[in-house]
Amino acid sequence: MGTGQSERMHALDGVRGVAAVVVVLYHLTLMARPRLEETAGLWEWITQSPLRPLTAGSEAVLVFFVLSGLVVSIPALSATFDWLRYYPSRLIRLYLPVIGAVLFAVALILVVPRFPGAISPDSWLDNRVASSISLGRIVEESSLLPETYTVVNVLWSLRWEVMFSVLLPVFIVVGLAVRRRPWLAAVVSVALMVAGRVLEVDALVYLPTFFLGTLMAVHLPGIRAWADRVNRRGGWFIWGALAVASVVLLVLSWLTRDIAPAGSSASAALWGLAGAGAAGLIVVAIGSPLAERMLSARLPLWLGRVSFSLYLVHVPVLASIAFLIGDAAWWLVALIAFPASFAIAWLFHVAVETPAHRLARRAGNRVASRHDRVPTPIAS
């Protein structure tokens, strides 16, 4: 890997870190929503204004999906890519932290009392976060098979990560098949996302989002060549315009709530454009020198390193503190939960995620080496 590519991959780590922080802020606002709605216009001011990108958690997950489509597809495009090594390594890398996060959440549920009166009825915490557990639910969520999750609320997205990972050969084959018409493939992908939102078919929303990343991986040399041409012409305006346009697409369904109310087909269609916005932000991170410098700074890189762990542990931490203090004091919950989530994410990264990565590499290498030792039959 050359120097330029290494630097750009560091920038993508920074994107992942920033997106993880946005998800945390999103869940903090959901926790505080019952109280924020008591002040006229405050919830709308936070969610339907230029502040929205700071708390666009569902949209930040689409950024994760495009990133996965890109970085997982890049090595798979190599002629020497070892699929036997890939599958056990990838699945262990995903599943072990998931199981660790479920057990961590279960421990918090057992230790921290879940008194119903501590949180607002019919709120996000009340409806989407478990206050009790069962062995069946633990096994179900650890398997990543259900469509909805309450022990670790965010695991719904890992279900799609696993699905993409298993179907990676299909994504690679299709990406290579349409390589001569990348723009048409991108437009079709976005159209499928829009249709998926309108028809409420999640597979049409999320799988094409991953495919945008695969498409970018197939055309990465061309994207970099185009970025170099833009940069030689002093392309700060182009990068700035692309970044703004991408952010607007990402949150367009929120910014247009006055004319396309939530729940309407128009709002759903606009929400379907969020995946295109996510892809645009990745292109900016790949090509813009300013974005690369900012995203490769020490803090974004640290956030990127712990982003997966932060994503997995922050809701159980937030929920436990909210049940302990009560969401009426939402500001105090946020004041404690925000730094606590980062501290616990770092511990989880060291204690669970990093060992899982080492085990994943060893398992992949072992499977590959066993295959290499199998003698090839001699044809008679």
Side-chain angles (χ1 to χ4, degrees):
M1 183 180 292
T3 303
Q5 184 173 343
S6 176
E7 291 172 354
R8 285 179 172 86
M9 295 309 294
H10 283 311
L12 296 184
D13 288 337
V15 172
R16 188 179 291 107
V18 172
V21 173
V22 170
V23 173
V24 176
L25 293 174
Y26 168 64
H27 287 133
L28 287 174
T29 60
L30 289 183
M31 177 273 299
R33 181 174 181 173
R35 306 301 170 178
L36 295 176
E37 288 182 331
E38 292 175 356
T39 302
L42 183 56
W43 175 254
E44 290 75 14
W45 182 71
I46 292 172
T47 60
Q48 299 176 37
S49 74
L51 291 175
R52 178 59 189 173
L54 298 176
T55 59
S58 298
E59 293 78 8
V61 172
L62 300 181
V63 175
F64 289 140
F65 288 175
V66 176
L67 272 171
S68 290
L70 173 60
V71 300
V72 176
S73 297
I74 288 173
L77 290 166
S78 169
T80 60
F81 186 70
D82 190 334
W83 289 99
L84 286 175
R85 179 182 283 112
Y86 161 76
Y87 274 109
S89 179
R90 178 67 176 166
L91 293 177
I92 290 172
R93 189 182 177 103
L94 290 173
Y95 267 104
L96 281 188
V98 164
I99 294 169
V102 170
L103 295 178
F104 171 69
V106 168
L108 288 181
I109 292 172
L110 293 174
V111 170
V112 179
R114 260 47 176 178
F115 298 122
I119 58 172
S120 303
D122 204 32
S123 63
W124 170 70
L125 283 173
D126 189 32
N127 294 330
R128 299 296 181 89
V129 178
S131 57
S132 62
I133 53 171
S134 67
L135 180 59
R137 193 63 193 173
I138 293 170
V139 172
E140 268 195 329
E141 295 207 10
S142 298
S143 72
L144 296 177
L145 293 177
E147 292 187 8
T148 58
Y149 298 80
T150 56
V151 177
V152 180
N153 178 266
V154 300
L155 291 186
W156 69 268
S157 66
L158 271 298
R159 177 173 176 263
W160 293 103
E161 287 277 359
V162 168
M163 199 175 302
F164 162 69
S165 299
V166 171
L167 294 174
L168 180 61
V170 177
F171 281 77
I172 296 296
V173 168
V174 176
L176 291 173
V178 300
R179 67 187 310 168
R180 294 182 180 275
R181 289 181 169 80
W183 285 108
L184 178 59
V187 169
V188 170
S189 297
V190 174
L192 288 173
M193 292 181 228
V194 172
R197 288 297 187 194
V198 174
L199 300 174
E200 299 183 353
V201 179
D202 287 345
L204 290 180
V205 177
Y206 300 127
L207 294 181
T209 307
F210 285 105
F211 182 70
L212 285 181
T214 300
L215 201 60
M216 292 168 65
V218 171
H219 292 277
L220 191 57
I223 293 173
R224 285 177 171 160
W226 172 76
D228 288 341
R229 291 194 297 272
V230 169
N231 292 330
R232 282 196 298 270
R233 299 170 187 164
W236 63 269
F237 176 79
I238 292 176
W239 294 124
L242 181 57
V244 170
S246 298
V247 171
V248 169
L249 282 176
L250 201 67
V251 297
L252 189 58
S253 65
W254 287 90
L255 299 180
T256 56
R257 285 289 166 91
D258 288 340
I259 58 175
S264 66
S265 295
S267 179
L270 292 173
W271 194 10
L273 298 175
L281 290 176
I282 303 305
V283 172
V284 172
I286 290 172
S288 166
L290 176 60
E292 182 183 324
R293 286 196 299 272
M294 293 174 64
L295 292 166
S296 299
R298 183 174 298 177
L299 179 58
L301 287 182
W302 183 85
L303 292 172
R305 189 176 308 122
V306 302
S307 60
F308 188 33
S309 294
L310 178 64
Y311 187 73
L312 290 174
V313 304
H314 76 277
V315 171
V317 171
L318 169 60
S320 298
I321 296 172
F323 273 101
L324 195 62
I325 297 175
D327 65 0
W330 62 268
W331 56 273
L332 181 58
V333 174
L335 197 62
I336 297 171
F338 191 69
S341 294
F342 289 94
I344 293 172
W346 173 248
L347 294 174
F348 190 89
H349 173 77
V350 172
V352 178
E353 186 183 354
T354 299
H357 289 181
R358 288 197 294 264
L359 180 60
R361 284 194 295 271
R362 287 199 298 269
N365 291 337
R366 180 170 296 182
V367 170
S369 64
R370 283 182 178 177
H371 177 262
D372 290 341
R373 290 198 299 267
V374 174
T376 303
I378 300 175
S380 57

